[in-house]
Amino acid sequence: NVRVRTHQTRRGKADSTRFMQKTFWEEYHRASSRPSASHEWFLGPQQCVEVLLQGTLQEICKSKPWRTQERKALNLGCGTSSLGLELAREPLCVAAELHVVNVDFSPIAIEAMRQIQNSD
């Protein structure tokens, strides 16, 4: 028997469909963005990198001949997470010349991440 919990949010009853709306994310990032801080939803970026490197990403980085094929990782819906930055700095990913692409449809989130990246 599975029990599902619904919780109240600041805006009322929880509704996951709001996450599909660009306007939700624009409002979210406008209200919560601090140019000097990234936001992680579940795990810290280093924990995520460790999980990713235990599986498929490790195989991609270690596969041969990686010098003749461009390696890419897509971080879709990156928001203000620093996962993509941390992944790009990981020694195995650097050695494999992995190109990490962070994509989000919120210009506010992208600009915040540019500021964070430029401050490093």
Side-chain angles (χ1 to χ4, degrees), residues 64-87:
K64 303 290 183 196
W66 50 262
R67 294 247 185 245
T68 61
Q69 297 175 350
E70 188 175 22
R71 303 284 189 241
K72 293 182 181 179
L74 177 63
N75 186 10
L76 187 60
C78 63
T80 58
S81 170
S82 61
L83 172 61
L85 299 173
E86 294 299 322
L87 190 58

Side-chain angles (χ1 to χ4, degrees), residues 16-102:
S16 61
T17 61
R18 69 180 190 258
F19 298 131
M20 295 184 286
Q21 304 299 317
K22 184 176 181 180
T23 53
F24 169 82
W25 291 110
E26 286 297 295
E27 183 180 320
Y28 173 84
H29 290 298
R30 191 174 293 111
S32 63
S33 254
R34 294 186 327 244
S36 62
S38 64
H39 174 79
E40 310 303 330
W41 284 92
F42 302 108
L43 297 173
Q46 190 56 45
Q47 291 170 307
C48 290
V49 168
E50 290 170 11
V51 169
L52 289 169
L53 289 177
Q54 290 173 3
T56 305
L57 195 55
Q58 183 177 29
E59 293 302 316
I60 291 169
C61 288
K62 288 185 173 182
S63 66
K64 303 290 183 196
W66 50 262
R67 294 247 185 245
T68 61
Q69 297 175 350
E70 188 175 22
R71 303 284 189 241
K72 293 182 181 179
L74 177 63
N75 186 10
L76 187 60
C78 63
T80 58
S81 170
S82 61
L83 172 61
L85 299 173
E86 294 299 322
L87 190 58
R89 294 177 183 141
E90 185 63 31
L92 178 62
C93 298
V94 171
E97 299 176 1
L98 181 72
H99 180 76
V100 180
V101 179
N102 293 301

